[in-house]
Amino acid sequence: MKNLFYLLLCLIAGASCSQADPTKPWDKGAFETQKYRNLFAEMGYKQADIDAKLKSVFDGVFYGPDKVYFEVGDSMAYISDVKNHDVRTEGMSYGLMIAVQFDRQDIFDRLWRWGTKYMQHQDGPLKGYFAWSCATDGTRNSQGPASDGELYYVTALIFASNRWGNDTGINYLAEAQNILNCSMEKDGTNRVMPFINVEHKLITFVPDIHGGRFTDPSYHVPAFYEVWARWANDGRADFWRECAERSREYLHKSIHPVTGLNPDYNNYDGSLLGNNRIIGDAFRFDSWRVPMNIALDYSWACADKEWQQEYGNKIQNFLYSQGIDTFVDQYNVDGTQVKDTLRAGEHKALRHSLGLVATSAAASLMCTHEKSREFVDKLWNAKHEPYEDGYFDAYYDGLLRLFAFMHLSGNYRIIFPEK
């Protein structure tokens, strides 16, 4: 009966029988097939329930009592890290990506207008870049950019161009090209650099003289460069394809060979910073995104499938060994307990954080072992509510949870140009 059930799913999805087995990830990417795996459906969840759950998670982020999306006047909006009372390029660019994935041009355009008005530098040494943090009234908390914001901005804008065209009030493709062109013109003047290190062809942590010396594993989404190579039309297609290859090679070096864990920050050769930066050399908050990012590259490009399958199994095996209901959100990369001197206050506590529950479940898209189903079930049943100590994160946990549901329902997609 089980095999018959999977066969029926295959026929419905138009996929091969191997593609319907939850323990056998697909062996071709969506750039080639334009098909996306709905792992929830493969595991027996009803499509109506999947659709309802995805809508509920989306509505919670954008419209619920714990929303992080706030509209301003008739034409703008921002996404706020509400617990820190600010607006970050991380959240704003995530919001753009979510909006274009859900075909919500209204949300996309509102976020873009707020970001260009308050966050983007229109002139000077930082021209084209976005201030990484602003107060909710638009006052900049910091002038400098964080490279992951630009990474998502560019990709979301290209998708917007592909989906909606460039004649509805915003020339999305021109805006993406402007970010890329402005960045690649930086030469160190006033300490400002490209957000892609041109020597290593890897994304910087921060595009300046200091932050450009190392990187953040969670900023690496090789499939995004594949998007740029196809549709940025900026004359750098070969460069972006090489960036995708270099990024995959870097991830091999960055991830611990036994645990599958990675540090928050490290050198371009994958080695630890080793400068007593306690947070930088451990698997902590930024790091949670890596399983989901690698799963995205697997789903879209499938260009590194053997290693990525091994990686997915490896990190799930480690977390499973810590207790699938109890693994915590911070470890040294070798899997040992983190030092307790990270910082005072709310982040010091170790929690079974929803954000990591979500991203480790998304890794199931590339896993080959049976326990991958358990991770998916745990995400499905996880509630977004305060932890036992009262801490609640509507922003980071909420956004990662939404991305994971998009992944696992087959709704995080490459947006090809409209024909």
Side-chain angles (χ1 to χ4, degrees):
M1 290 297 294
K2 176 182 175 182
N3 290 336
L4 178 59
F5 173 70
Y6 288 143
L7 179 59
L8 289 172
L9 284 174
C10 282
L11 295 174
I12 294 169
S16 69
C17 289
S18 65
Q19 289 180 335
D21 186 339
T23 62
K24 289 187 178 180
W26 293 9
D27 58 7
K28 293 182 179 179
F31 279 117
E32 179 179 353
T33 67
Q34 297 192 43
K35 295 182 183 297
Y36 302 86
R37 195 174 180 199
N38 184 341
L39 194 48
F40 288 128
E42 292 179 19
M43 290 176 53
Y45 291 99
K46 296 179 180 179
Q47 189 59 50
D49 293 336
I50 297 168
D51 294 341
K53 176 77 83 166
L54 181 61
K55 182 179 186 302
S56 174
V57 176
F58 175 90
D59 288 347
V61 169
F62 284 87
Y63 302 114
D66 297 312
K67 69 179 182 179
V68 296
Y69 170 78
F70 302 91
E71 295 188 349
V72 179
D74 295 331
S75 63
M76 293 191 296
Y78 60 82
I79 285 179
S80 174
D81 183 349
V82 291
K83 69 181 185 305
N84 287 311
H85 313 292
D86 70 345
V87 180
R88 304 181 176 198
T89 52
E90 170 192 73
M92 292 291 282
S93 61
Y94 283 5
L96 292 174
M97 179 61 75
I98 292 164
V100 73
Q101 292 289 328
F102 279 83
D103 199 11
R104 291 293 303 270
Q105 190 174 12
D106 56 328
I107 293 175
F108 190 104
D109 288 358
R110 280 179 174 271
L111 292 171
W112 178 251
R113 292 187 193 106
W114 199 98
T116 54
K117 179 177 177 63
Y118 294 114
M119 307 183 91
Q120 189 177 35
H121 294 271
Q122 302 300 327
D123 50 37
L126 291 167
K127 181 181 179 181
Y129 285 154
F130 293 75
W132 80 270
S133 173
C134 288
T136 57
D137 66 0
T139 305
R140 291 175 183 167
N141 296 323
S142 173
Q143 297 292 336
S147 298
D148 61 329
E150 275 66 17
L151 179 80
Y152 271 81
Y153 276 124
V154 170
T155 313
L157 284 162
I158 292 171
F159 282 166
S161 173
N162 288 354
R163 167 154 275 170
W164 301 314
N166 299 296
D167 301 319
T168 61
I170 298 172
N171 188 329
Y172 304 110
L173 183 59
E175 296 288 0
Q177 292 169 337
N178 178 59
I179 296 170
L180 291 174
N181 291 336
C182 287
S183 174
M184 296 302 288
E185 290 167 0
K186 312 299 184 192
D187 60 3
T189 302
N190 295 104
R191 304 180 62 84
V192 183
M193 302 292 291
F195 73 89
I196 301 296
N197 181 293
V198 294
E199 175 187 356
H200 297 284
K201 298 181 175 62
L202 297 172
I203 192 168
T204 64
F205 175 60
V206 175
D208 63 25
I209 295 296
H210 172 68
R213 293 184 299 179
F214 60 98
T215 187
D216 180 326
S218 75
Y219 288 9
H220 287 258
V221 192
F224 281 6
Y225 304 126
E226 304 276 8
V227 171
W228 302 2
R230 284 166 171 80
W231 299 305
N233 296 327
D234 67 342
R236 304 184 184 94
D238 290 341
F239 179 79
W240 300 134
R241 291 190 184 95
E242 188 169 358
C243 286
E245 294 175 4
R246 293 285 187 92
S247 188
R248 294 181 185 113
E249 293 169 359
Y250 155 82
L251 286 167
H252 289 208
K253 303 171 186 175
S254 178
I255 289 166
H256 193 277
V258 176
T259 64
L261 301 176
N262 57 270
D264 267 0
Y265 322 122
N266 62 2
N267 296 309
Y268 291 116
D269 63 2
S271 62
L272 299 178
L273 293 176
N275 58 357
N276 296 317
R277 292 183 55 136
I278 296 171
I279 187 171
D281 280 356
F283 178 92
R284 285 187 160 116
F285 314 106
D286 276 18
S287 300
W288 304 350
R289 298 179 288 204
V290 171
M292 183 173 65
N293 292 343
I294 295 177
L296 182 144
D297 190 45
Y298 189 98
S299 175
W300 289 9
C302 209
D304 193 17
K305 58 186 177 183
E306 290 84 4
W307 181 86
Q308 290 172 342
Q309 288 174 8
E310 293 174 2
Y311 162 75
N313 290 345
K314 192 174 295 182
I315 192 167
Q316 284 193 348
N317 280 332
F318 172 76
L319 295 174
Y320 200 89
S321 75
Q322 304 297 302
I324 195 165
D325 293 309
T326 55
F327 63 77
V328 295
D329 54 12
Q330 301 170 57
Y331 293 96
N332 292 319
V333 293
D334 64 2
T336 56
Q337 182 72 42
V338 292
K339 299 177 181 179
D340 62 358
T341 54
L342 172 60
R343 65 181 74 164
E346 60 191 17
H347 289 305
K348 185 176 180 180
L350 299 177
R351 303 182 180 91
H352 184 62
S353 287
L354 178 60
L356 183 55
V357 170
T359 60
S360 61
S364 295
L365 288 168
M366 55 189 167
C367 292
T368 61
H369 53 205
E370 290 289 328
K371 60 175 67 74
S372 65
R373 305 186 195 188
E374 295 185 53
F375 282 86
V376 175
D377 282 331
K378 292 299 181 181
L379 172 62
W380 181 273
N381 293 305
K383 296 180 179 178
H384 192 189
E385 59 188 12
Y387 300 102
E388 291 182 358
D389 61 2
Y391 177 73
F392 180 72
D393 184 4
Y395 168 78
Y396 197 50
D397 279 347
L399 289 169
L400 295 185
R401 179 181 181 228
L402 176 53
F403 273 130
F405 270 93
M406 291 161 59
H407 274 295
L408 293 167
S409 64
N411 286 291
Y412 197 166
R413 302 186 173 195
I414 304 162
I415 299 175
F416 288 77
E418 293 290 335
K419 296 181 180 179

